[in-house]
């Protein structure tokens, strides 16, 4: 399962500062799980989930293994990237490999940090990146040859779908905003279009803008209205001060909370970004818990119980018999498996059951 997110944007918008903050957080949050930085521009970061600590207390274990997301710091794109400007082709190929995109947009003013366009214009910056991604997708389509007369129905469907997509791309509409049926979506899957990837806009603001949140959010909403997306109400965005996040990321938990209180924030921008990235990949977590460990497992929405069991061990899917499931809240209320079973709160399910977000699960297999 591809749990990777690419951090993109123009040069000097705060991508690397944000990425470094994520790495600091990862180092600060190190526990007994096998996640690490793979190389300088790739980091694996846990998905914040307070429920794991609660479960660990109930079953009396110190070993917690969270879910995670892999972040790629992709060097700044520039105008003309689709034709190779600024090593654009190389960087666009990196974006093609990720499952979702975090598009960092600069709102902060800083005379010491030069803007590539010599002006702070977030809407124009977004348009520049979107245009390059659209042009790259159009190039992908241009490389495809029309089907021969003896080609299969699938080939003709692919050709007609690409033709439909090309029309919209030429009008500045990204693939993710084009209405496609399931057959059309399947036909173009192998092309891995850049503009088909879900996007989170991360507006990088200053500490002063963080203190004037009402004005800042109004400005962000005005910028979002300029986007060529199908449903503006569903646009995923967050705002954060990457510089501040980088400074506090490695601090102890309580000190971070004290910093956040100064800005009347409930959680850090990094935590919001990680959670939203996880959700944007259409992922959910279920939990297994016992004296050995408490663990969050990652699945896509709609995953059936045997396939979820297969994450734990390949044979678990093959020899799946049943699963016992209970909502997190009910598990906590009962204080563990024993009382939950006595109270009749545990549901026994079979192969056709789809695991739900936040369920505590125990699989029964016949090996």
């Amino acid at each position: 399962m591809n749990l990777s997110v690419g951090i993109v944007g123009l040069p000097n918008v705060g991508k690397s500062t944000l990425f470094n903050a994520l790495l600091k957080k990862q180092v600060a949050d190190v526990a007994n799980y096998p996640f690490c930085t793979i190389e300088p521009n790739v980091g694996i970061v846990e998905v914040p989930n307070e429920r794991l600590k609660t479960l660990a207390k109930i079953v009396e274990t110190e070993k917690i293994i969270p879910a995670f997301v892999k972040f790629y710091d992709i060097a700044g794109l520039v105008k003309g990237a689709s034709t190779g400007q600024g090593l654009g082709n190389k960087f666009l190929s990196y974006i093609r490999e990720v499952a979702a995109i975090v598009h960092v947009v600069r709102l902060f003013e800083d005379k010491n940090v030069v803007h590539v366009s010599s002006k702070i214009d977030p809407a124009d910056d977004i348009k520049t990146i979107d245009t390059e991604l659209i042009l790259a997708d159009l190039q992908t389509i241009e490389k495809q040859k029309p089907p021969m007369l003896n080609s299969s129905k699938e080939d003709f469907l692919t050709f007609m779908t690409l033709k439909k997509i090309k029309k919209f791309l030429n009008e500045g509409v990204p693939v993710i905003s084009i209405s496609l049926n399931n057959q059309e979506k399947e036909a173009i899957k192998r092309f891995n279009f850049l503009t088909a990837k879900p996007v989170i806009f991360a507006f990088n603001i200053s500490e002063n803008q963080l203190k004037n949140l009402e004005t800042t959010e109004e400005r962000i909403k005005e910028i979002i209205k300029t986007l060529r997306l199908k449903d503006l109400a569903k646009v995923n965005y967050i705002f954060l001060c990457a510089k501040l996040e980088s400074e506090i990321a490695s601090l102890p938990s309580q000190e971070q909370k004290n910093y956040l209180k100064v800005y009347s924030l409930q959680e850090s921008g990094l935590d919001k970004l990680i959670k939203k990235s996880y959700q944007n990949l259409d992922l959910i977590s279920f939990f297994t818990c016992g004296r050995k460990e408490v663990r969050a497992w990652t699945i896509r929405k709609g995953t059936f119980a045997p396939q979820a069991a297969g994450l734990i061990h390949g044979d678990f899917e093959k020899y799946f018999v049943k699963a016992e499931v209970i909502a997190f809240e009910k598990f906590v209320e009962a204080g563990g498996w024993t009382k939950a079973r006595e109270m009749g709160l545990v549901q026994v399910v079979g192969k056709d059951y789809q695991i739900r977000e936040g369920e505590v699960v125990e699989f029964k297999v016949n090996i």
Side-chain angles (χ1 to χ4, degrees):
M1 190 182 298
N2 190 352
L3 305 182
S4 58
V5 178
I7 302 175
V8 307
L10 293 171
N12 295 339
V13 297
K15 297 183 310 302
S16 293
T17 303
L18 176 59
F19 180 74
N20 289 335
L22 286 165
L23 287 194
K24 278 188 185 178
K25 176 176 177 56
Q26 175 212 322
V27 171
D29 289 348
V30 163
N32 31 356
Y33 53 90
F35 307 149
C36 61
T37 307
I38 299 170
E39 52 186 82
N41 65 333
V42 184
I44 296 178
V45 185
E46 73 169 75
V47 178
N49 198 324
E50 290 297 317
R51 292 176 294 182
L52 287 166
K53 294 178 183 177
T54 303
L55 292 174
K57 285 181 182 177
I58 291 172
V59 298
E60 299 179 349
T61 183
E62 293 183 2
K63 187 174 182 180
I64 295 175
I65 304 180
F68 67 92
V69 177
K70 186 188 296 183
F71 284 91
Y72 284 76
D73 179 23
I74 297 170
L77 295 171
V78 295
K79 193 171 184 177
S82 58
T83 57
Q85 293 294 319
L87 296 177
N89 288 332
K90 183 178 180 181
F91 299 146
L92 288 169
S93 71
Y94 292 155
I95 301 172
R96 206 173 292 283
E97 297 306 313
V98 300
I101 293 170
V102 170
H103 183 166
V104 182
V105 183
R106 177 175 172 177
L107 258 68
F108 70 88
E109 301 270 359
D110 189 336
K111 290 182 287 187
N112 297 316
V113 182
V114 179
H115 190 284
V116 70
S117 303
S118 302
K119 61 178 180 178
I120 306 299
D121 188 341
D124 191 60
D125 291 353
I126 291 172
K127 186 178 178 182
T128 296
I129 298 295
D130 286 352
T131 298
E132 294 305 321
L133 298 183
I134 284 172
L135 289 172
D137 281 349
L138 283 169
Q139 285 182 8
T140 298
I141 293 175
E142 292 296 339
K143 292 175 184 175
Q144 309 310 313
K145 295 179 180 178
M148 307 291 285
L149 287 175
N150 60 347
S151 295
S152 66
K153 287 182 180 178
E154 289 77 13
D155 288 338
F156 277 101
L157 173 63
T158 300
F159 176 71
M160 295 307 295
T161 305
L162 290 176
K163 192 175 178 181
K164 174 180 178 179
I165 289 172
K166 182 179 178 180
K167 176 180 177 294
F168 280 100
L169 287 174
N170 278 320
E171 294 171 359
V173 180
V175 174
I176 199 168
S177 290
I178 302 172
S179 293
L180 300 172
N181 61 39
N182 290 334
Q183 285 183 313
E184 290 172 326
K185 288 177 182 177
E186 191 61 36
I188 64 161
K189 208 171 187 179
R190 62 189 173 93
F191 297 105
N192 210 3
F193 286 119
L194 300 176
T195 63
K197 299 179 186 297
V199 177
I200 300 166
F201 293 97
F203 291 93
N204 191 7
I205 64 179
S206 66
E207 290 184 50
N208 191 47
Q209 288 169 319
L210 198 56
K211 291 174 183 174
N212 296 281
L213 276 183
E214 192 173 329
T215 303
T216 302
E217 286 200 83
E218 282 302 314
R219 186 181 177 194
I220 290 172
K221 287 174 183 176
E222 288 302 313
I223 294 166
I224 287 170
K225 287 178 184 177
T226 69
L227 304 179
R228 295 292 297 274
L229 293 171
K230 186 163 52 181
D231 190 346
L232 291 176
K234 293 182 180 179
V235 172
N236 278 306
Y237 75 91
I238 65 162
F239 54 83
L240 48 74
C241 175
K243 182 183 175 189
L244 179 67
E245 296 283 344
S246 184
E247 289 170 357
I248 70 172
S250 58
L251 295 176
S253 178
Q254 189 54 52
E255 286 187 42
Q256 287 192 34
K257 288 177 182 176
N258 291 339
Y259 260 100
L260 294 173
K261 282 180 182 176
V262 174
Y263 299 96
S264 302
L265 298 174
Q266 299 299 314
E267 63 178 338
S268 73
L270 290 184
D271 283 355
K272 285 181 183 177
L273 176 62
I274 296 163
K275 288 178 184 177
K276 201 167 275 287
S277 297
Y278 193 75
Q279 294 162 2
N280 223 22
L281 293 169
D282 206 25
L283 303 175
I284 60 172
S285 294
F286 71 89
F287 307 111
T288 54
C289 62
R291 293 297 294 270
K292 183 181 176 182
E293 67 180 31
V294 165
R295 182 164 184 164
W297 299 89
T298 299
I299 55 173
R300 295 204 182 279
K301 287 180 184 175
T303 298
F304 290 96
Q307 287 70 53
L311 284 178
I312 299 172
H313 193 288
D315 285 344
F316 280 25
E317 179 177 354
K318 186 177 179 181
Y319 297 105
F320 176 89
V321 176
K322 61 184 178 180
E324 292 185 325
V325 302
I326 178 173
F328 167 80
E329 293 79 8
K330 289 183 179 179
F331 187 85
V332 173
E333 180 187 335
W337 281 113
T338 303
K339 193 69 175 175
R341 291 187 180 105
E342 290 174 0
M343 295 170 66
L345 299 175
V346 178
Q347 183 182 1
V348 179
V349 300
K351 294 181 178 180
D352 59 349
Y353 182 80
Q354 294 179 5
I355 301 294
R356 296 169 186 165
E357 161 61 25
E359 286 185 320
V360 183
V361 184
E362 191 168 285
F363 296 104
K364 307 295 182 181
V365 295
N366 183 20
I367 299 179

